[in-house]
Amino acid sequence: MQLAGSMTALCRAVRRIILLAALLAALPAAHLAAAQSPSEVPCAACIVLTAAPGQSLLVDGPLNGIEILIRVPADAAAVRAAVERIRNMGGRPGLWVTEPGDWLSSEQVVVPLLTRLVFDVTGETTSVEALAFALKQRIVEARGAGARQVGVVARPELLADGLAGDLAAYLDFRAHPTSARPSFPPSAPASAAAAIIRPPSAQSAEAGGPEGWILELPGDALAARSLLADVAASAPSVTSALVAGGMADIRCAGHRVPTYLDTSTLDTVAIADCREPSLQVSPEVPGTSRVVLSTGHVVVRVPSVEGRYAEGVQVVGARALDVREIIARHQAAAARQRRAVRQLISTGSMALTFEAPGFPAPLAITSQAVIYTEPDRVEIEQRDIRVNGMSFQSDGAIPRLPLIEPERVASPPLAITLTEMYRYRLAGEDTVRGVRCYVVAFEPSDDSRASFAGRAWIAADGFALVRISAVQTGLRGPIVSSEQTDEFRAVHDAWLLARSEIRQIYEGAAHRTPIHRVVEIARHEINPPDFEARRTAAYDSPSIMLRDTSEGFRYLTRAKPEEGSRAIAEPEVASAATEVRTFAFGVILDPNITRPLPFAGLSYVDFDLFGTGTQFNGFFGGTFGQLAVSVPSLGGTRWQLGGRAFGIASSYNDRAFEEGQEIYAWNISQRPAHASVWLIRPVTPRISLRAGYDFDYTRFDEADTTAPTFVVPASQVAHGFRLAVEGQWGGWTGSLWWTGVRRAGWREWGETAPGHQGEEYDSSQHDFQRVGAGVSRSFVASPRLVGRLEAAWMSGKDLDRFSRYTFGTFDNRLRGYPSALVRYDSGGVFRSVIAWAAGRRLRLDGFVDTARVRDAGFGGRFRSYTGVGAAAEAPAPFGVLAAVEWGYGFQGITSEGQKGTHVVRISFYKIF
């Protein structure tokens, strides 16, 4: 049925076009000679009048759909009365805004009633860039208030320069003053200010002729009333569909009057400067109408005798929007939403995971979040805060942990800016949860400043933001990479945040960790009547409160009310926390360490050492210690400088194997120390380069079982140069690195007994190379369940027993395997951990690690080593966090030669 209807309409349209062509071809030559150019064809419906609010009282008859713009600023009540009178009389009201002041605050109530809104900037003297910026702000604000057709009147040269940018995408029309005047109506005063209205895509002031005229009503009441009456009375006949021609012969005192053909009805229209007795119409068709204007002119409309063929047929094709138009419409949709959503309370959950030194699994901080949003303030109330699943009782005190964030971006994408901060392109279309979207790709125009690069999904119907995914550029702090994806959902005609996921890489003093933040919003309350009361109650609760400031999120501290007052005082923004002190103690049980290794010491971390932005991390635990410094931005550049030193006072065994059998006579003891310094430079928003110098010192000595014939190597002094490429993509963090090392004072070592066929010293191993790659990803399945996956591969050249890779207690761990048991020159390792908050006072961790490496002590082929582990964390008295970790290596070899090794670590932490 739909197909049949379409074919019928198409046939009628074709018949109409053929008939119109035949009629035009049959017109008398005199009629064609009277044809005029398009700019001279009369059009009463194309006239737009401007008036003061009081001039609306001059309207005393039907307006027949003509447009009248009320000039503002003016008294709001008078403007509204004028708009309503014009509407009641059948006209189409609009506003003519002549001053850029706060016009919308007083007139916004009438904006949805308007047909057209015009900004007059003919008197502006600011630069083109500043004017375009101001205009875009005004236009978006107007569309947010409900405006439908928005345009601008400006000088021609200013329009030409402004439309060379993206201003055209914001306009429905544009106009400029002109000394010309319309050919109709005859009552238009010669001195009236007129403007030509054109679509914003028009390139020339002359192309295609004027599409309309803006005329100011004269100050004289009689002249204004006459102009109003003439335009309103002739608008139904003198339409925009007229072309030169006609099918009737109209004469005045025997002289032919120029006629016009209405292409929508095939009626003939003429405007005759003639008194009624002298006007002759041939043929005189029933329904012929005559309208006498105030000037004495007569508007004649002669119906077509073939009117049955004059069907209103329109062929409309949807014009493809360009990326600037999509962004402009999105900004208008956002402005509308800001007006509709004045206050918002959002309830959901927040989860933050990262790796902290000494903790067996990723550290997880979760909370229930209530977000209070106003136009000028965003505050977050955090309830039921849990650290590794265990309840954190703050009693409203400010947490000692600092808030680590990347630099704030001054100009986010899709916002109106004074200069072009971003480059945009249309990357096609996509469907997100059933919503058809335009995909807008953006990148910063200047990579040197903090900005974003990514994509935005904008709904094709209402132009709301459905999803945005971006990576931050120009970072100059400890956060070297930051990637964020926000998803929105429709809530009562507003698109509000549903989920936000942020993945970052933090480069601190001696510690590099991925940070994973997830915010899930379960419920939104739009404009709740008790907004203020609920937020005030949050101030007075034991919850942690944060406020979004220009410098990032800051904790709020309770302010004491005035003496004698029971009112809750407005909270104050607390100064940023920069120091963390931790007392740690415990014991490590490692089969390769001669005796249980106890440790107890103090860790001090300063994120702003001496107010310079330098980060410091120091720990001394009696048996081992480390010191690290990081300068996140050298001289305000994107270069970072870091350094680290580590040492252990206790020796542990370096065990020797041959074909899987331990050779006790070749075992020795070792005590390592390490120092390094490096430079880091982000080269893209996701990738950083690292170059550094490594210094390694390992003291070798005889063990209890070392044979007299075995020559212990000289204590190793190694100088290394390290290059690495590090970054993240789609939640995965990765690195690719190479190290070249040269030993100083390296001499012969090994078994000297005659006939020995085992491993021997090789002079080519004075220097060696290492290379490796690794990837990892953390995940938040729920606030109570988090985990991490990691895979790494390593290889090298000219590696010997003392330069091969090893799994250890402090670095490159393999669950359940003792330090320096497995030494390999090539292979890969996979690690996994899952952490479950089993209750308010207990978190359980599970580990599965596996490696496939080539260890010369176990033969020339690759062998698999698998380990499992578990850990439990629980609060202890005096605010201490206790952690017990156990690991079992299935292929580990005990000192007695038995398979299966256990490694246990017991730790206690107290932050103060």
Side-chain angles (χ1 to χ4, degrees), residues 48 67 69 93-96 114-118 149-151 173 197:
V48 179
E67 288 189 60
L69 308 180
L95 290 187
W96 176 280
L114 306 177
T115 301
R116 190 188 301 266
L117 182 62
V118 181
Q149 291 284 314
V150 184
F173 60 92
I197 302 175

Side-chain angles (χ1 to χ4, degrees), residues 720-752:
F721 177 68
R722 182 182 180 91
L723 289 174
V725 179
E726 302 164 332
Q728 73 166 345
W729 190 280
W732 291 93
T733 62
S735 64
L736 177 65
W737 54 268
W738 169 89
T739 302
V741 181
R742 184 170 184 83
R743 290 160 162 161
W746 193 246
R747 63 170 186 262
E748 293 188 27
W749 60 272
E751 181 62 66
T752 60

